[in-house]
Amino acid sequence: MTAVAQPVVREPQPNGVAPKSAPALDLARIRADFPILAERINGKPLVYLDNAATSQKPRAVLDAIANYYAHMNANIHRGVHTLSVRATEAHDAARRTVKQFINAADTREIIFVRGATEAINLVAQTYGRVHVGAGDEVLITAMEHHSNIVPWQILCEEKGAHLKVAPMDDRGELLLDAFASLIGPRTRIVAVTHVSNALGTVNPLREMIELAHRRGVPVLVDGAQAVPHFAVDVQALDCDFYAFSGHKVYAPTGIGVLYGKRALLDAMPPYQGGGDMIASVTFEKTTYNVLPYKFEAGTPDIAGAIALGAALKYISGLGMENIAAHEHDLLAYAAETVGAIPGVELIGTARERAGVLSFVLEGVHPHDLGTILDREGIAIRTGHHCAQPVMERFGIPATARASFAVYNTREEVDVLAAGIRTAREVFQ
Amino acid sequence: MSADLGELGDLYQEVILEHSKAPRNFRKPASANHHAEGFNPLCGDRCSVYLDVEDGAIKDIGFEGSGCAISRASASMMTQALKGKSTEEAAKLFEEFHNLVTGDAEAMKNAAELGKLAAFGGVSKFPARVKCATLAWHTLQSALEDKEETVSTE
């Protein structure tokens, strides 16, 4: 049931405006791959525009979960029995799929975790605790999700280190010069989001990583909002760590990935102790297992990892370039359509954006807008998006956020725009 | 409201919309001797409630803050309903209001006894909005008990 992408030849577009439709994707077939899109909400067809919170799951992913439990459920790396071998092989295959998807150099660099949050905490509590000391600095940006702020705050508090924050401008673009000047002799790690979940800003990672590396500082990238939207190549970026969540990229909740350069991971102490992460245990001394198992204590989310593999294969089949082009078109169309509604102010107008349209509507609190849109079957996120410092930066308590996935259409953007107009009528 | 909005109309009743646009007692009374801060961390709504309580009676009451239409209207109408009431009556009214917005059958039946506050009965059909309607009331309770920490809906 996978929609097959046709090869696409794209004419260069003037002013970066995408063509009216992305011919490479068969949207009707793609939508048919996602059973939940047939749901009706309050009597209306579901218009799901909360993909930055979590994406919906294609049948390929649902089938992978069911197939795992129906035909191969067993613990991995343990039994000699057939099911355990099957489960282990499927789990290993999923790791290879992830490695390929982000173009890591080695499968040992792919650590399965619960999500981007756990991946960041892992690095803060292992690499961070070894390398960050009293008076040292951790550098983040003003557009981070709480998950890339709080783990570093905890570390800094414990160690007596300082959290530095690189500022952004009124469009929501990082101030690269200020960022560069904040990388100092005490900076021990830079942690930065690839794409802002609240604003959609795509950060100039290559430049940022190069700036940090020039001063010998490693960079962790929070890729939770990037991986669903365009091809990510960790070797081309030359990032040291890359974190993402499965559930935002069409896989289930509870599974995610930490990529780390092998030399760094090898030198890091373990995160949690338990089964699977050991080579040998005596009461006197435990020898840790090799990568990636050193960081995977306990029975992992086996079905989740396999389903993540299925999700990444599914979108690879559609083509990340096709997905990026389609979503770019949707975002441009939404910015134009929603931005033209009187009273709407877009929050976050960076030149490079992905996946997210954040806005406020004059006279209508985002929470009220969310309720009114829900009556129309439209799911958006309203609030601070776990990025309270971003809201503070723009002097607003909350925004409404429409966020896009491969299965969204221009027609759905029109439904959203009509819903926003209804909200204006209610509150006029 | 022009269009027939069905359940949405139950939530955004005329009186609620009117209060959200022009909240009453949106001020800090100079004579206030009780105060508390309320916060809904999920949506960022903030509410400060100020009370002038003398001999167990609410002589004056005001509020400040930012939030959605439901939370603003609820705070505004709460201040109107409570001025002149005893603190016991205020606590009882909160209980009845809470029962109403959470859809308690008995409270729904007796909604008329709540006067204007009965307009919030529609909130019960929108479980995600109950916290908006009760933020001011939780803050009131905290103010009456002189709690120092910010009251959170979570």
Side-chain angles (χ1 to χ4, degrees):
Chain A
M1 277 292 283
T2 301
V4 178
Q6 301 299 317
V8 59
V9 179
R10 226 159 236 299
E11 297 296 324
Q13 297 297 318
N15 309 322
V17 177
K20 192 166 169 15
S21 61
L25 296 176
D26 182 345
L27 281 185
R29 283 191 64 179
I30 291 171
R31 291 184 65 81
D33 288 340
F34 290 79
I36 206 169
L37 297 181
E39 284 290 302
R40 292 183 78 81
I41 305 295
N42 298 312
K44 308 275 174 59
L46 167 65
V47 174
Y48 188 77
L49 298 175
D50 194 16
N51 296 286
T54 196
S55 64
Q56 299 302 343
K57 322 304 174 196
R59 199 176 295 281
V61 168
L62 306 180
D63 288 350
I65 299 167
N67 183 57
Y68 167 74
Y69 283 114
H71 300 293
M72 58 181 90
N73 178 45
N75 214 324
I76 54 171
H77 307 140
R78 283 166 176 77
V80 293
H81 62 79
T82 304
L83 287 184
S84 179
V85 172
R86 275 188 204 165
T88 302
E89 279 175 2
H91 193 255
D92 288 349
R95 200 187 305 272
R96 289 195 295 275
T97 303
V98 173
K99 177 227 166 219
Q100 202 171 5
F101 188 78
I102 60 171
N103 192 33
D106 194 310
T107 50
R108 285 169 287 191
E109 298 178 321
I110 305 299
I111 316 292
F112 283 126
V113 290
R114 281 190 297 143
T117 297
E118 187 174 53
I120 297 166
N121 277 281
L122 190 162
V123 176
Q125 288 300 315
T126 58
Y127 184 90
R129 285 179 84 172
V130 171
H131 294 277
V132 178
D136 286 341
E137 294 169 3
V138 173
L139 176 59
I140 62 171
T141 80
M143 66 184 88
E144 301 306 320
H145 185 282
H146 295 165
S147 62
N148 203 24
I149 302 172
V150 183
W152 304 113
Q153 275 176 333
I154 292 171
L155 175 70
C156 288
E157 199 162 310
E158 185 192 317
K159 296 289 186 176
H162 308 290
L163 190 65
K164 298 282 176 180
V165 183
M168 58 179 159
D169 65 16
D170 291 340
R171 285 177 301 198
E173 287 186 8
L174 186 81
L175 295 167
L176 203 57
D177 289 347
F179 170 81
S181 70
L182 280 167
I183 307 172
R186 300 306 298 265
T187 309
R188 294 292 172 255
I189 188 163
V190 169
V192 56
T193 193
H194 199 164
V195 175
S196 156
N197 76 306
L199 305 168
T201 308
V202 181
N203 274 317
L205 272 191
R206 264 194 238 197
E207 289 95 319
M208 295 168 77
I209 290 167
E210 207 188 306
L211 283 165
H213 283 178
R214 231 180 273 161
R215 293 164 177 81
V217 180
V219 179
L220 174 140
V221 179
D222 171 2
Q225 299 293 344
V227 162
H229 302 301
F230 48 79
V232 169
D233 182 331
V234 292
Q235 291 190 78
L237 287 172
D238 197 26
C239 55
D240 300 278
F241 300 102
Y242 197 96
F244 69 94
S245 297
H247 72 96
K248 293 189 201 290
V249 62
Y250 309 103
T253 52
I255 188 74
V257 171
L258 171 67
Y259 158 84
K261 282 181 180 166
R262 201 175 144 201
L264 290 171
L265 292 176
D266 260 332
M268 279 153 56
Y271 178 45
Q272 294 177 328
D276 241 14
M277 56 77 71
I278 48 86
S280 73
V281 177
T282 67
F283 287 117
E284 288 71 38
K285 172 81 184 159
T286 290
T287 312
Y288 303 128
N289 205 340
V290 294
L291 291 174
Y293 312 112
K294 184 171 89 176
F295 293 105
E296 295 181 356
T299 298
D301 182 356
I302 305 166
I306 292 168
L308 173 60
L312 299 182
K313 276 189 173 164
Y314 174 80
I315 56 172
S316 298
L318 299 177
M320 289 311 292
E321 279 169 23
N322 296 330
I323 291 172
H326 169 60
E327 292 181 357
H328 181 269
D329 170 70
L330 271 182
L331 189 55
Y333 182 66
E336 189 186 305
T337 311
V338 173
I341 298 170
V344 166
E345 184 194 346
L346 302 182
I347 305 296
T349 49
R351 285 159 295 186
E352 291 290 327
R353 279 186 292 153
V356 166
L357 187 76
S358 225
F359 60 96
V360 289
L361 177 60
E362 193 187 2
V364 185
H365 190 277
H367 220 168
D368 295 310
L369 178 61
T371 293
I372 290 168
L373 293 179
D374 179 59
R375 292 289 115 177
E376 303 293 323
I378 306 161
I380 62 159
R381 172 86 188 266
T382 61
H384 54 60
H385 318 297
C386 296
Q388 284 178 4
V390 175
M391 299 297 112
E392 205 171 308
R393 167 66 179 75
F394 285 91
I396 46 178
T399 74
R401 180 187 71 184
S403 54
F404 302 98
V406 62
Y407 41 69
N408 290 125
T409 65
R410 281 183 166 225
E411 288 70 29
E412 289 181 310
V413 172
D414 292 337
V415 175
L416 169 68
I420 296 169
R421 290 201 166 85
T422 301
R424 283 197 79 221
E425 276 173 35
V426 172
F427 283 90
Q428 72 185 193
Chain B
M1 195 158 40
S2 51
D4 174 20
L5 292 158
E7 277 188 356
L8 210 47
D10 293 345
L11 179 65
Y12 295 113
Q13 295 201 19
E14 206 63 60
V15 61
I16 290 178
L17 288 176
E18 199 268 318
H19 271 265
S20 79
K21 284 172 201 159
R24 317 299 196 273
N25 303 309
F26 192 75
R27 63 193 166 80
K28 178 183 179 179
S31 59
N33 51 19
H34 294 262
H35 159 246
E37 303 281 337
F39 180 50
N40 181 342
L42 281 186
C43 57
D45 284 3
R46 288 184 182 280
C47 179
S48 304
V49 171
Y50 305 95
L51 294 162
D52 175 5
V53 180
E54 278 169 45
D55 303 326
I58 298 170
K59 279 193 70 183
D60 200 359
I61 178 169
F63 81 101
E64 288 174 337
S66 67
C68 64
I70 302 299
S71 74
R72 277 166 73 91
S74 173
S76 171
M77 289 163 72
M78 176 187 82
T79 60
Q80 279 196 322
L82 293 183
K83 210 181 274 189
K85 292 272 198 308
S86 73
T87 54
E88 286 83 19
E89 285 170 321
K92 188 165 172 289
L93 206 53
F94 178 22
E95 193 186 332
E96 286 165 3
F97 181 81
H98 194 272
N99 289 342
L100 176 76
V101 297
T102 51
D104 176 77
E106 190 73 9
M108 299 290 275
K109 209 170 67 189
N110 302 326
E113 290 170 19
L114 283 167
K116 269 193 193 175
L117 294 175
F120 287 94
V123 172
S124 63
K125 292 176 194 159
F126 297 79
R129 306 305 299 276
V130 170
K131 284 171 183 164
C132 309
T134 56
L135 176 62
W137 289 89
H138 282 292
T139 312
L140 165 86
Q141 190 177 45
S142 184
L144 286 172
E145 292 167 6
D146 284 325
K147 286 195 178 154
E148 300 233 330
E149 72 267 31
T150 298
V151 60
S152 168
T153 55
E154 290 308 296

